[in-house]
Amino acid sequence: MRRPFIIWGIILLVQLLAGSAYAQQDKLAGRWEGTIQMPQGERPVTGTFKKEGEAYTGNISGMRPGSELQLKDIKVDGNKVTAKADIETPQGSFTINFNLMLEGETMKGAGVLDFGGQSMTLDVSMKRAGEGTQSAPPTSSQPQQPPAGQGPGQGQQRVRVPQPQQKQSIDYFVGQWSYKYVGRESALGPAPRECTVTFTKRADGKSLDSVTTCKYEGGTHKESSVIVFDEATKMMTFTEKVGNGVAINSRGDWTSPISIRFTVDPIKVKGQSLQLRRTISVVAAHSFTIAEELSEDGGPFTRLGNAVVTKVEAK
């Protein structure tokens, strides 16, 4: 007579254990949707997670228009979720460290990007969007209503978030900016150094004067430049004098609204031949980045330094 009770007890125990395992699996696995605060503004973001054995895999999409980042080193400790993602930029590859908290059907926290010694925090807020554990692509599996004027087949399922862009104008730079230049010392100047640069518009309306004051271990120096912008061609010319008196002449191509790529004339310093590469990436109305590489005496180009330049708010 006791056998049926034992059998029912075993069945109940199996069900409880199965339910516990399922709940644990579903704690993170599935699809999450929400927003992430980028330097360019708030964007929609989607995270998908799948549990494989004791490990998680996943990706996050929406940080860059039409693309997704693979998440790695995903760990769940109680309600705390940590993960990493590598992101490619014109300045090189950087790692975003995500620290998130699970609270029922919501997940909030931040991703921290270490950019040349300076930290940038990206606030993340998501809600569970589905219970499936399969990684979802960055496009919806449901048909999307095509935009007005497009018929079936023209409005594809992928939803692209337009990247905020700054107008190519000399006025973008006008004002005071600050930055920390992180890199190596060279014949062009010391590093690291902390600088403030002020751009002042000339009366002709198409050129700027700039004055830069820098502090570094062992002293200070000033730099100056004259910048001319051609509105029609979106080309810029820079005539610079760095802290040790070396002159640098370059031309910047600003035909792409998100970056300015420079062609720099060869530089001679005390018999040494230098070739500089420089890219400015326009991040937002209040921020741009600088990345530089240097070739010395015909050698390979190696990283010289980079900086995140931030506009100083007027008081």
Side-chain angles (χ1 to χ4, degrees), residues 69-70 97 112 185 237 279 287:
L69 299 178
Q70 193 73 29
N97 292 288
V112 178
E185 188 172 348
T237 59
T279 300
S287 180

Side-chain angles (χ1 to χ4, degrees), residues 46-309:
T46 299
T48 56
F49 298 88
K50 180 181 178 181
K51 192 169 186 182
E52 299 178 344
E54 295 301 316
Y56 284 97
T57 59
N59 56 57
I60 187 167
S61 62
M63 298 185 63
R64 310 185 82 175
S67 67
E68 67 177 22
L69 299 178
Q70 193 73 29
L71 293 170
K72 60 182 184 180
D73 297 338
I74 304 171
K75 294 181 175 61
V76 179
D77 182 6
N79 290 335
K80 183 179 180 181
V81 179
T82 58
K84 297 179 180 179
D86 294 327
I87 185 168
E88 295 294 331
T89 75
Q91 293 76 33
S93 178
F94 298 90
T95 299
I96 305 173
N97 292 288
F98 289 97
N99 288 277
L100 307 167
M101 289 297 296
L102 281 165
E103 298 177 1
E105 299 297 291
T106 65
M107 183 160 49
K108 296 181 180 181
V112 178
L113 171 64
D114 187 356
F115 191 98
Q118 302 182 61
S119 293
M120 183 182 298
T121 301
L122 313 173
D123 293 327
V124 180
S125 178
M126 294 190 289
K127 291 183 179 181
R128 183 179 292 280
E131 298 297 331
T133 59
Q134 296 297 321
S135 293
T139 60
S140 170
S141 60
Q142 299 297 322
Q144 301 290 325
Q145 184 69 27
Q150 291 186 347
Q154 291 178 288
Q156 297 298 316
Q157 295 178 1
R158 181 182 296 276
V159 178
R160 293 185 179 273
V161 181
Q163 183 172 357
Q165 297 175 352
Q166 302 302 313
K167 179 183 177 182
Q168 298 105 307
S169 169
I170 201 76
D171 293 328
Y172 172 80
F173 292 98
V174 174
Q176 189 177 70
W177 305 70
S178 65
Y179 62 93
K180 181 177 181 180
Y181 187 91
V182 180
R184 63 181 177 88
E185 188 172 348
S186 73
L188 299 180
R193 57 185 184 268
E194 295 186 6
C195 306
T196 300
V197 55
T198 302
F199 296 96
T200 305
K201 195 172 184 179
R202 288 184 165 187
D204 61 14
K206 62 180 182 179
S207 58
L208 300 172
D209 289 313
S210 81
V211 176
T212 305
T213 303
C214 297
K215 298 179 181 179
Y216 57 93
E217 186 177 354
T220 62
H221 73 238
K222 285 191 175 183
E223 303 175 358
S224 62
S225 67
V226 177
I227 305 165
V228 180
F229 179 62
D230 188 324
E231 188 78 34
T233 63
K234 302 296 187 289
M235 300 296 292
M236 311 178 77
T237 59
F238 278 66
T239 304
E240 305 171 59
K241 183 172 287 187
V242 296
N244 57 6
V246 174
I248 303 176
N249 297 307
S250 61
R251 291 160 299 285
D253 182 343
W254 201 1
T255 52
S256 167
I258 62 174
S259 65
I260 307 172
R261 297 188 178 276
F262 288 83
T263 302
V264 185
D265 292 347
I267 306 163
K268 286 282 189 180
V269 181
K270 296 180 179 179
Q272 187 179 28
S273 298
L274 305 176
Q275 186 67 59
L276 181 67
R277 285 179 180 170
R278 177 186 293 158
T279 300
I280 289 179
S281 296
V282 181
V283 178
H286 53 78
S287 180
F288 63 89
T289 66
I290 301 173
E292 294 181 328
E293 295 178 306
L294 186 65
S295 168
E296 299 170 292
D297 292 324
F301 280 93
T302 59
R303 176 179 174 270
L304 178 61
N306 56 50
V308 178
V309 188

